[in-house]
Amino acid sequence: MLLDTPVRLGVQIEPQHATYGQIRDAAARLEDMGVDILFNWDHFFPLHGDPDGAHFEGWSMLAAWAEQTERVEFGALVNCNSYRNPDLQADMARTIDHISAKDGTGRFIFGTGSGWFERDYDEYGYEFGTVGSRLDDLAEGLDRVVARWDRLNPAPTRRIPVMIGGAGEQKTLRLVARHADIWHSFVPAAGLAHKLSVIDRWAEQEQRDVSGLIVSNELKNRDAADADALYDAGVRLYTLGWAPGTPDFDQVQRWLDWRDARNGARA
């Protein structure tokens, strides 16, 4: 199913418990260090630490990164489908794609999911619904996003990569098979073969080739042995949750060194 693509490292700069200056400076330094992708998240309140601590909105930040950065790809890990009309999401993504196109080709990745953080919904006035209803909304939303990209003028600079987060086998993995270029999860190495077989089965029904699907997983609280096991199971994009308010650039460098060693072994 999977192509043997190079290992990439994405750092998720948590948009919480930091000033925007710290976030901006971290993005610049991480790009200079050689990180492949910068991520944030799409929430309105901190996910850990002081629940009422400092926090910034994600899409506005992504537009700023599009202008600030030169090389690195970037996106949300992940956007919440519930918070914005899908056609608007498509237009926002297309616009950020163009802002980032310093050499003519955009660098935006459209990471998306169904949403789960109930406080966001309650305080911002969205209907929380159920896990099932939110996944149904995501399915409809993704169809609308892709259709809108085909109608926008100007069109996106490239086919914007779609990244879908989650591991539910009945709905989420079917959406992965239908739309995703990147599948992100926290599934341990031992469970990935089964999940990938589910994606393959859904892909047969969807009549879509998923041989180029990039498998993504998280490094936070894991060590090199875990990363090696994930690699053997097919992971090629590694993400690292990272706090800009208390930045640990040495941690990032260790994972960059691991990435480079893995890619060197492939050569």
Side-chain angles (χ1 to χ4, degrees), residues 64-129:
W65 288 358
E67 187 62 50
Q68 172 188 343
T69 59
E70 298 290 335
R71 173 196 56 79
V72 72
E73 290 189 291
F74 63 96
L77 185 60
V78 288
N79 167 68
C80 178
N81 175 73
S82 304
Y83 301 158
R84 300 161 197 89
N85 172 286
D87 293 88
L88 174 61
Q89 293 177 50
D91 207 339
M92 293 165 67
R94 180 281 310 258
T95 299
I96 291 174
D97 167 72
H98 275 264
I99 294 170
S100 71
K102 305 296 175 64
D103 65 355
T105 301
R107 295 171 285 116
F108 181 71
I109 294 172
F110 184 69
T112 195
S114 60
W116 61 273
F117 192 40
E118 189 169 1
R119 185 184 180 189
D120 286 346
Y121 288 80
D122 291 345
E123 295 214 26
Y124 276 63
Y126 298 108
E127 178 65 37
F128 188 56

Side-chain angles (χ1 to χ4, degrees), residues 89-265:
Q89 293 177 50
D91 207 339
M92 293 165 67
R94 180 281 310 258
T95 299
I96 291 174
D97 167 72
H98 275 264
I99 294 170
S100 71
K102 305 296 175 64
D103 65 355
T105 301
R107 295 171 285 116
F108 181 71
I109 294 172
F110 184 69
T112 195
S114 60
W116 61 273
F117 192 40
E118 189 169 1
R119 185 184 180 189
D120 286 346
Y121 288 80
D122 291 345
E123 295 214 26
Y124 276 63
Y126 298 108
E127 178 65 37
F128 188 56
T130 65
V131 172
S133 69
R134 294 193 301 276
L135 283 166
D136 290 342
D137 289 344
L138 176 61
E140 178 191 6
L142 276 166
D143 288 341
R144 288 172 59 183
V145 166
V146 173
R148 179 59 59 183
W149 281 337
D150 288 337
R151 297 197 296 271
L152 288 170
N153 183 16
T157 67
R158 64 172 180 169
R159 183 184 178 279
I160 296 175
V162 174
M163 179 181 197
I164 296 177
E169 296 182 10
Q170 295 305 308
K171 293 186 177 183
T172 302
L173 295 188
R174 184 166 195 172
L175 292 176
V176 170
R178 184 183 302 165
H179 289 292
D181 302 286
I182 306 168
W183 168 52
H184 180 78
S185 78
F186 297 86
V187 174
L192 281 174
H194 169 70
K195 295 293 185 180
L196 291 170
S197 72
V198 173
I199 294 171
D200 276 336
R201 291 199 298 273
W202 281 125
E204 290 181 11
Q205 293 196 35
E206 295 291 334
Q207 298 183 331
R208 180 169 180 254
D209 179 9
V210 292
S211 61
L213 182 70
I214 301 298
V215 180
S216 171
N217 212 298
E218 173 63 30
L219 287 172
K220 193 172 184 179
N221 299 321
R222 286 173 164 164
D223 59 19
D226 296 320
D228 288 338
L230 289 167
Y231 181 91
D232 291 341
V235 172
R236 293 298 182 270
L237 172 58
Y238 292 81
T239 66
L240 177 65
W242 191 81
T246 54
D248 184 351
F249 291 101
D250 289 341
Q251 178 193 35
V252 176
Q253 188 60 57
R254 288 193 296 273
W255 284 116
L256 287 170
D257 292 343
W258 179 88
R259 176 202 68 184
D260 292 345
R262 266 295 181 183
N263 287 336

